[in-house]
Amino acid sequence: MSCGWAGGRCRSPMGGGSVRVRRLTMVLRKLLKCSLRDYGFCLASVLLFSLASLCYQLNGGAPALLLELRKYLGNSSFLDGYRHPPPKVLPFPSQLVYNRVGKCGSRTVVQLLRVLTERNHFNLINSDIHNKTRLNKNEQMELISNISIGEQPYLYTRHVHFLNFTRFGLEQPVYMNIIRDPISRFVSNYFFRRFGDWRSEQNHQIRTPGMKDEERYLDINDCILENYAECNNPRVFYIIPYFCGQHPKCRDPGEWALQRAKENMNENYLLVGILEELEDVLLLLERLLPHYFKDASAVYHSSEYKKLGNGTITVKKQKPSPEALQALYQRMRYEYDFYNYVKDQFHLLKRKFGLKTHGSTPNKEYSIPSRMEIAGPSHEDDDDTWLKDIYR
């Protein structure tokens, strides 16, 4: 090997190759170091994302994610001209719970669902339990476990107060519901308990055979104005507990239960509609939950379905007097706060979708003028003009 002096160094004829080897080695080291660093960064990101996702779901976050469907579908023509059934995969939910509120059109909707389950190929799980809405811890665990093992996609429906699945370590399903003007719901329930609907009337059946005649034929105005238990709190505090949940404080008429109900509605319910605008509720359900409610409006307007729906109308209903309505409204002020909140959110969602009411007008049979909604009637004011709109 010969040496030459160049820059104070001894160079070999093979020196150029050695330099290239060293350079390649340095590049490989940098790449390896970079790869390891990137790998570590990716691994850390995945871990952080997993932890965040877990925390999010444990706090009831999964259903809230589905609320983004409103924005997605509201800015698209998803169903316009769409002729193929959409695949039953996310982002549309495969587990839906309809914890239906009594006397808010739920039997009408369940009859509609029985038709749609054959058309849209989902499983309808309709509970036969109608009079047990409040559950202890073991009953909650049993019911939640039974719901969760249903064959997906499924829609589970029952009269039951809101259940928190994440409390027991299970995935929270998506909720939906429909409510009604609180006084209208109360009046319908009052007479339904006594006389049933047209189906039971035709069969000469009485809804509550053990009820004594003095209770069955008790005038609704006397019940309200004389403060019978059936027409007073906590009996008339009825809608809010369905959204507040199973906590004992959910049964107490007050601000705590009201705010809890609003929070649960915002975080866990994809849609809460109002019965007075049922046709628009069905239109929104077709957009938000096409797996379940595709063609719901068409079925609802069909002559075959109308024959079924007419049998669910409560018989022998009477309108309470203006004085009874005024007293009842004051007892149900929290119910009306929640109802008006739901109605505002429902109308906001309609505007996002650009939907207009088609042939359905809100039922104002038991409506209360705006100044009553805000502050209630003044006992010092003898002006009864606010009552003129009651039966409009």
Side-chain angles (χ1 to χ4, degrees):
M1 180 178 66
S2 62
C3 279
W5 187 262
R9 294 183 181 178
C10 181
R11 284 193 308 178
S12 163
M14 300 295 295
S18 299
V19 171
R20 285 195 295 270
V21 170
R22 286 197 299 271
R23 288 178 179 174
L24 180 60
T25 303
M26 292 174 62
V27 169
L28 289 174
R29 287 177 178 175
K30 288 181 180 180
L31 287 175
L32 183 59
K33 185 183 296 184
C34 181
S35 299
L36 289 174
R37 183 179 59 198
D38 291 345
Y39 176 77
F41 176 77
C42 292
L43 182 60
S45 299
V46 170
L47 290 175
L48 287 174
F49 177 80
S50 300
L51 289 173
S53 177
L54 179 62
C55 293
Y56 182 61
Q57 293 183 44
L58 290 176
N59 285 280
L65 181 62
L66 293 170
L67 295 177
E68 295 299 320
L69 283 172
R70 295 175 178 174
K71 300 177 183 177
Y72 168 70
L73 291 177
N75 296 323
S76 70
S77 55
F78 181 77
L79 294 181
D80 298 340
Y82 197 85
R83 293 294 177 266
H84 302 286
K88 295 179 174 60
V89 295
L90 291 176
F92 297 109
S94 57
Q95 303 173 77
L96 181 64
V97 173
Y98 173 26
N99 65 320
R100 49 195 180 120
V101 182
K103 301 311 297 175
C104 288
S106 61
R107 286 188 300 157
T108 299
V109 176
V110 169
Q111 285 183 345
L112 181 63
L113 286 168
R114 290 195 177 106
V115 178
L116 293 176
T117 185
E118 298 294 330
R119 291 191 174 207
N120 298 335
H121 309 292
F122 64 89
N123 294 306
L124 176 63
I125 308 173
N126 185 22
S127 174
D128 294 329
I129 302 174
H130 303 290
N131 56 358
K132 190 172 181 59
T133 59
R134 305 168 183 173
L135 311 176
N136 60 38
K137 185 176 180 180
N138 289 333
E139 289 171 335
Q140 291 180 52
M141 291 176 62
E142 182 179 2
L143 178 56
I144 287 175
S145 177
N146 290 337
I147 294 175
S148 298
I149 62 176
E151 184 179 354
Q152 300 179 16
Y154 67 76
L155 190 156
Y156 179 85
T157 175
R158 172 180 167 175
H159 294 297
V160 64
H161 294 171
F162 174 78
L163 294 163
N164 187 351
F165 283 56
T166 59
R167 180 186 177 195
F168 302 100
L170 294 172
E171 180 183 359
Q172 186 78 347
V174 172
Y175 275 81
M176 60 156 285
N177 217 321
I178 300 173
I179 66 172
R180 179 182 188 177
D181 177 275
I183 291 179
S184 178
R185 193 217 68 83
F186 167 79
V187 172
S188 180
N189 184 67
Y190 185 89
F191 290 101
F192 180 72
R193 288 187 65 243
R194 287 159 170 78
F195 307 112
D197 54 28
W198 285 109
R199 293 177 300 178
S200 58
E201 184 75 2
Q202 291 171 353
N203 295 328
H204 305 289
Q205 296 174 346
I206 298 299
R207 174 74 177 173
T208 48
M211 183 181 289
K212 297 180 180 179
D213 284 348
E214 55 265 30
E215 181 181 359
R216 187 180 307 282
Y217 296 101
L218 173 65
D219 186 276
I220 190 171
N221 296 305
D222 293 337
C223 182
I224 296 170
L225 296 175
E226 296 178 18
N227 294 320
Y228 281 74
E230 182 180 358
C231 301
N232 210 332
N233 278 315
R235 297 280 186 87
V236 298
F237 189 72
Y238 186 86
I239 297 175
I240 287 177
Y242 273 86
F243 296 85
C244 179
Q246 299 290 334
H247 194 287
K249 290 179 68 174
C250 290
R251 308 168 192 175
D252 298 332
E255 194 68 27
W256 188 91
L258 170 64
Q259 295 305 320
R260 179 90 170 242
K262 290 180 179 179
E263 291 171 4
N264 278 337
M265 173 195 157
N266 291 333
E267 294 174 4
N268 296 284
Y269 285 79
L270 185 62
L271 175 69
V272 181
I274 58 173
L275 183 62
E276 293 82 1
E277 300 176 38
L278 179 58
E279 293 184 27
D280 291 339
V281 174
L282 296 179
L283 287 173
L284 285 177
L285 286 171
E286 286 187 15
R287 288 290 189 91
L288 292 168
L289 298 167
H291 293 359
Y292 304 92
F293 288 93
K294 184 177 181 293
D295 296 329
S297 296
V299 173
Y300 178 73
H301 287 103
S302 66
S303 57
E304 293 79 8
Y305 177 78
K306 288 186 179 298
K307 292 178 183 178
L308 295 173
N310 289 336
T312 65
I313 300 174
T314 301
V315 298
K316 298 185 179 182
K317 282 197 299 186
Q318 300 175 10
K319 298 175 183 178
S321 67
E323 293 79 12
L325 285 172
Q326 180 180 357
L328 194 59
Y329 177 81
Q330 296 221 10
R331 295 170 195 172
M332 304 174 80
R333 62 188 183 275
Y334 292 112
E335 293 275 276
Y336 269 100
D337 187 312
F338 184 72
Y339 172 74
N340 289 327
Y341 179 80
V342 169
K343 183 164 62 173
D344 288 344
Q345 296 298 312
F346 178 68
H347 288 165
L348 176 62
L349 187 57
K350 281 173 59 176
R351 289 195 297 272
K352 287 182 178 180
F353 277 89
L355 293 180
K356 296 181 180 179
T357 300
H358 299 285
S360 63
T361 55
N363 180 9
K364 296 185 178 181
E365 187 177 13
Y366 305 105
S367 63
I368 306 295
S370 58
R371 75 185 183 95
M372 272 289 292
E373 291 180 351
I374 297 173
S378 172
H379 297 292
E380 298 177 359
D381 186 0
D382 294 330
D383 182 8
D384 289 337
T385 56
W386 66 274
L387 296 172
K388 293 180 181 178
D389 292 333
I390 286 289
Y391 300 120
R392 185 170 24 164

